[in-house]
Amino acid sequence: MSNMRVVAVVPARAGSKGIPGKNLRSVAGRSLVRRAVESGRAARLVDGVVVSTDGDAIADEASAAGARVVRRPADLAGDGASSESALLHVLDALQTDGIEPEVLLFLQATSPFIDPNDLDDAVARVLGGSADAVFAAAPSHAFLWRTDEDGHAVAVNHDASTRPRRQDRDPEYRETGAFYALRTDGFRRHRHRFFGRVELSPVDARGAIDIDDPADLTLAAALAPQLDARGDTQHGNTERGDTQRDDTQRGDPQHSDTWRGDTRPDATRPDATQRGDPRRQHAQRPSAPAHDPQRWPLATTNGAP
C-alpha cells in the first residue's frame, strides 16, 4: 500500500480556444503549468504532483518542473471533457501502481499565483476530518446585479433601498478555481468536486486571477513582481521549486527510478492535528522535512512507469 496520502493533480490539455497554447504561456518567465507544479511541490503536505495532458510540449514542461505525467486519452481531452473526468482518469492510473491517496488536490494551471500555504491549510482540513472538500475563494464586498427579462436591473445580494458601509457587511466569497482539496473516496463516489461537508479557503484577492484571455496574462505579468516576491519571502526559492536545485532533489530521471513519496511511517508524518487550526495565520507550520517528498518518476504513459 502506498504511503502517499496527498497527491496534487494539474489537468493541462493542449487545446485552448481563447489563448492558443495557454498552459505553456509564461508569466514572469515561468509557464502556467510550471507555476502550478511548483506551487504543489512547495506545499509541505503534498507528497507528489501529477500533470494530466494530451500535449507533448506540456508533458516535457511538466517533467522538467518535477511532476509525473499521465497521458490523457483523446476522448478526455476535447472541449467537452470535464476536469472531473481527467481527475478520475489519473486516480485510476495511479491505482494501477498501488497509489491510492487519501486526499486529491486539484490545481488549475490557469491560476498563476497559488500560495502553497493555502494548499497546506486546505489539505490539513480534509486530513483532519473537518471537511470533505475545501476550495479557494476570494472575499468580496461587491454589490451584484442582474437584469430581468424586461431589461430592468435587479439587486442580487443586497437590498437596493439601503447602502450599508463596507465595514458593516460580511464578506461574500467568489470561487477562484485555483484549487480544490478533496477526500478521494468521496470524490470517486460522487464524481464531482462538491460533496459532503464543503468549506472554503479564503485566499488573497489580489492573486485570484483566472487566465481566460490575453488581458488576463497582461494583468498577471503586472502583478507578478509583487505577488511572486511575497511567495519568495514566505517559502524561499527552493520551496517554490527553484530550478537551481540539483537533479537529485528535482527528481531527475537519471537519479530516480521509483516513485518517491514521504517514506516516514504514518505515525511520524505531520498531520492536520499537529498543525492546529488551518485558518490561523500559519503560526504552527512545521519545518520542511529533510527528505524531499517530491521526487517522482517523470514520465509515464497512462500511468504506467
Side-chain angles (χ1 to χ4, degrees):
M1 178 64 67
S2 165
N3 62 357
M4 285 191 172
R5 298 180 71 193
V6 182
V7 172
V9 178
V10 184
R13 65 188 186 93
S16 175
K17 294 294 188 293
I19 306 177
K22 176 169 64 175
N23 287 311
L24 290 175
R25 297 293 292 270
S26 291
V27 171
R30 290 188 292 148
S31 70
L32 293 176
V33 70
R34 176 177 284 274
R35 281 177 167 269
V37 169
E38 290 180 349
S39 290
R41 296 188 70 217
R44 292 187 175 93
L45 292 181
V46 173
D47 296 311
V49 181
V50 176
V51 171
S52 165
T53 187
D54 60 325
D56 292 340
I58 293 174
D60 290 344
E61 178 73 351
S63 294
R68 171 172 176 166
V69 173
V70 170
R71 292 287 189 165
R72 197 187 312 185
D75 61 322
L76 298 181
D79 292 340
S82 67
S83 297
E84 280 81 356
S85 65
L87 297 172
L88 289 166
H89 175 256
V90 168
L91 289 176
D92 289 343
L94 298 182
Q95 189 177 53
T96 64
D97 288 342
I99 307 298
E100 298 188 51
E102 182 178 343
V103 176
L104 169 67
L105 182 60
F106 168 26
L107 307 182
Q108 299 215 80
T110 49
S111 297
F113 302 114
I114 300 174
D115 187 341
N117 282 336
D118 293 333
L119 300 182
D120 278 332
D121 286 348
V123 168
R125 293 194 219 174
V126 179
L127 285 176
S130 69
D132 298 298
V134 180
F135 67 95
S140 171
H141 289 84
F143 293 103
L144 300 180
W145 295 78
R146 62 175 176 83
T147 55
D148 64 17
E149 58 185 13
D150 296 320
H152 299 149
V154 179
V156 173
N157 63 342
H158 64 286
D159 181 352
S161 65
T162 62
R163 183 49 57 109
R165 299 177 303 169
R166 176 188 176 92
Q167 58 266 38
D168 294 331
R169 299 178 66 216
D170 290 332
E172 295 177 314
Y173 292 87
R174 172 177 62 85
E175 181 182 350
T176 72
F179 62 83
Y180 305 79
L182 310 171
R183 192 175 307 282
T184 305
D185 58 357
F187 175 68
R188 277 193 175 279
R189 185 166 60 254
H190 293 277
R191 304 180 75 83
H192 63 80
R193 68 193 78 172
F194 298 112
F195 58 88
R197 179 178 172 84
V198 178
E199 294 185 356
L200 55 82
S201 175
V203 299
D204 188 342
R206 295 174 301 167
I209 300 172
D210 185 42
I211 304 296
D212 273 333
D213 56 47
D216 296 325
L217 280 171
T218 301
L219 176 60
L223 291 172
Q226 178 185 21
L227 296 181
D228 285 348
R230 173 199 64 183
D232 288 343
T233 300
Q234 291 177 351
H235 313 295
N237 282 338
T238 19
E239 290 188 45
R240 263 198 323 117
D242 193 312
T243 54
Q244 297 303 312
R245 286 187 290 172
D246 65 40
D247 286 340
T248 57
Q249 289 177 309
R250 292 178 59 240
D252 185 273
Q254 297 181 26
H255 297 89
S256 179
D257 297 324
T258 58
W259 290 53
R260 299 299 297 275
D262 191 334
T263 57
R264 290 173 292 170
D266 288 345
T268 63
R269 298 185 62 192
D271 62 21
T273 58
Q274 292 172 318
R275 297 175 58 79
D277 186 345
R279 283 158 285 196
R280 295 175 185 168
Q281 296 300 311
H282 320 297
Q284 300 181 18
R285 293 186 59 77
S287 59
H291 175 264
D292 181 4
Q294 313 301 339
R295 293 176 59 187
W296 289 56
L298 300 184
T300 67
T301 301
N302 292 333

